Amino acid sequence: MENNHYHRNQNPHVLMFAYPLQGHVIPFVNLALKLASYGFTITFVNTDSIHQQITKARQPTNADDGEDIFAEARKSDLDIRYTTVSDGFPLLFDRSRNHDQFTEGLLHVFSAHADELVGRLVNSHPEISCLITDTFYVWSSVIANKYNLVSISFWTEPALVLTLYYHLDLLRSHGHFDSADNREDAIDYIPGVRSLKPKDMMSFLQAKDTSTVVHRMIYKAFADVKRVDFIICNTVQELESETISALHEKQPTYAIGPIFPPGFTKGVVATSLWSESECTQWLDNKPRGSVLYASFGSYAHCSKNDIMEIATGLLLSEVSFIWVLRPDIVSSDEHNFLPVGFKENIKDRGLIVTWCSQIDVISHPAIGGFLTHCGWNSILESIWCSLPLLCFPLLTDQLTNRKLAVDDWRIGINLCDKKSITKEEVSDKVNGLMSGKPGDEARKNVKEVRKILENAISSDGSSEKNFTRFIDDVKMKSVKRCGPA
């Protein structure tokens, strides 16, 4: 159908570009499923590299259907198409080990590949009318304008993090960021944010060197987001109402989270970049609420010393645990990071896996707490499972997410109150979380926050209403862009 004959009652065809990290791909896939369930046509784009990793991770069991991660979802009559695009690097290039080089590519080269793909797909049937991209992409508004598409920025982290990046100029002019000697007093001038200690800002905003490739990417991405038509956030209005309202005054911003797979079970769409170990059988033999789940996510690295202290602390605590330890958790070169004899010493009390289906594990009744890096998906998922948190943020938004979890909502406790982590503190905090007063307090609070999430996604909840409003606004904008029927 020609663009200028766009029908008001025709559901938009949306092109979605997920950022090439697992923590971003997961909410993007869940958003695609949700939009498709509202009748939208979706074309979902992963990078070739992410697609290859997902395919490789599920190959042992699904060797035949690795080509299209949405094949199963389409059996429910969802119109989701799937394609991939080069990120500019060869498939064998190690993106984790060469992080800065890879980010330079995303900053300068990837837009050309994205542009070429959009140009090729834009006249599909039905014709594409909207572009949804991760906020960290630097090219979204430019490509949307070039092809006359409604531009939507999807923010996969809390609104607090979004608004701090959004107001970099304020932080800079007040001397809290990018000055020779950053101020250390509270930040109390960001619209919609009551007060914040500098130590609770994202790691990139605390850095001394602000000329890195990641900083350049942030500057460009957050100049670009101010030019998009809509911002949608994977957060809940009631949890961040002042922040969302202040952003909404700048440009249309909708809290539509938490965006989980239907029924909060492992989704029909593969998103895992590693082969998943089966943990359910092991958990079935453990008493209710007795097992600590520990995972530091898909991206961040730890020091070998921290892993050693945590391992010894877990041993001392005598608590049962499942610990997800990616082979590259310390670095791509360091593989012997556990204390000698650790695996023998934990016997049946601990299970170490390189990766697992987090949703399957944390929704198991045997799990009683979560030692987490404070990735935003992990926080939302643990709230849904009413799990109290033991917080060990490592980088980027995790430091700010910790502030929300521990200081504002009181659903977690800090693993480490000082600069360096000790096995004694790990043991104390683990016991405090699993069977002590701090854990009981956090467990009580997380049940309350769980109710807020549940209400938000109920049929007349804030997220559902915001989602409907967002959809109506997108349809209206599509009609204006493309001309009446």
Side-chain angles (χ1 to χ4, degrees), residues 355-368:
W355 202 245
C356 66
S357 164
Q358 183 161 288
I359 279 182
D360 282 356
V361 171
I362 66 174
S363 55
H364 193 286
I367 299 289

Side-chain angles (χ1 to χ4, degrees), residues 177-209:
F177 167 67
D178 197 19
S179 75
D181 194 16
N182 286 343
R183 280 168 56 179
E184 288 179 19
D185 57 333
I187 298 157
D188 56 7
Y189 47 80
I190 303 287
V193 179
R194 286 180 184 189
S195 184
L196 191 77
K197 297 186 184 94
K199 74 173 180 65
D200 292 327
M201 290 202 296
M202 297 79 83
S203 58
F204 301 123
L205 301 195
Q206 296 185 46
K208 290 278 172 261
D209 178 6

Side-chain angles (χ1 to χ4, degrees), residues 13-14 16 29-37 40-44 68-71 73-74 77-83 269:
H13 182 173
V14 179
M16 296 180 70
V29 162
N30 293 334
L31 177 63
L33 293 169
K34 187 164 171 115
L35 283 167
S37 74
F40 279 47
T41 295
I42 306 292
T43 296
F44 191 98
D68 186 335
I69 62 171
F70 288 97
R74 270 197 301 281
D77 286 338
L78 298 178
D79 188 359
I80 305 186
R81 301 132 194 226
Y82 180 64
T83 190
V269 182

